[in-house]
Amino acid sequence: MGNCQDRPHRCNICAKTFAKKQHLNAHRRTHTEERPYTCNQCGRSFRQNSTLTTHLWSHAGHKPFHCSCCPKSFSRKTDLVAHMRRHTGERPYECPYCWDRFIRKKSLQRHLQKHSGENLRAAWPPSYPRMKQSEGLVERNMKMEELPTEEPTPGSPREVLHVLLPHE
């Protein structure tokens, strides 16, 4: 990231900085939910004109992003990236409550709604590592091999999850 002279345009809401004023203006829409660009074919609206342009490709059947492992093609590069994770098995988005892993961030967000209403954070033992956001991926501060393999002991994070989460 450059210094303040390289990025003189600052968001007054989150303090993120930008090199160009137009990028700041586009960013501000993430705070206001303003979506001024509307598809004339289906009515969906978008924050940026470039996103509308990419969306219009889906109506035209234009799919320039091709999977190297199967015959599927996509109109958006992000959809190809997520699709490739099906081939590689990569699931970079992890639930901090039950450790389910997901291909897409949106899938994790939808999953987290299942945990809403449960006061898991309050019940989480203070000694257990918290989650951190790093480079866009949700990561645990503890490696998988450090997790205990024996039956959960009373009051342990695994025992708390066993009690609080629905299970079969």
Side-chain angles (χ1 to χ4, degrees):
M1 186 183 269
N3 60 33
C4 290
Q5 292 168 338
D6 295 339
R7 301 169 68 93
H9 306 284
R10 181 180 298 276
C11 176
N12 60 345
I13 297 172
C14 70
K16 190 170 182 176
T17 58
F18 299 88
K20 296 182 179 180
K21 187 162 180 72
Q22 67 198 42
H23 295 157
L24 170 62
N25 291 337
H27 165 78
R28 282 185 179 143
R29 291 188 198 113
T30 65
H31 298 297
T32 65
E33 296 299 320
E34 177 189 5
R35 294 173 177 264
Y37 304 100
T38 304
C39 175
N40 59 6
Q41 294 185 42
C42 70
R44 281 189 67 187
S45 58
F46 303 90
R47 291 185 185 111
Q48 296 181 32
N49 191 37
S50 60
T51 310
L52 170 60
T53 301
T54 303
H55 167 76
L56 289 171
W57 291 351
S58 67
H59 290 299
H62 181 62
K63 297 181 176 184
F65 303 101
H66 306 283
C67 177
S68 59
C69 299
C70 74
K72 287 193 173 232
S73 295
F74 302 89
S75 58
R76 298 183 320 158
K77 185 177 180 180
T78 55
D79 291 334
L80 173 61
V81 169
H83 168 77
M84 289 303 295
R85 290 179 181 144
R86 294 197 180 281
H87 293 297
T88 65
E90 180 188 11
R91 293 175 165 265
Y93 302 101
E94 184 176 87
C95 175
Y97 300 119
C98 66
W99 305 307
D100 278 355
R101 298 185 72 87
F102 301 90
I103 290 172
R104 293 178 180 263
K105 187 176 182 179
K106 275 202 180 296
S107 299
L108 170 61
Q109 291 168 336
R110 189 174 29 247
H111 167 81
L112 286 172
Q113 292 173 354
K114 294 177 183 177
H115 295 300
S116 66
E118 297 174 13
N119 197 359
L120 290 175
R121 287 278 183 214
W124 208 253
S127 61
Y128 191 71
R130 298 291 186 190
M131 304 301 287
K132 67 178 179 178
Q133 190 75 20
S134 173
E135 298 174 7
L137 303 179
V138 179
E139 298 180 305
R140 184 173 31 258
N141 290 342
M142 176 183 258
K143 294 185 175 97
M144 285 300 287
E145 48 279 1
E146 293 173 348
L147 290 173
T149 54
E150 66 277 353
E151 285 300 310
T153 56
S156 72
R158 291 175 65 220
E159 197 268 341
V160 168
L161 285 173
H162 181 76
V163 171
L164 291 177
L165 296 178
H167 52 279
E168 293 142 16

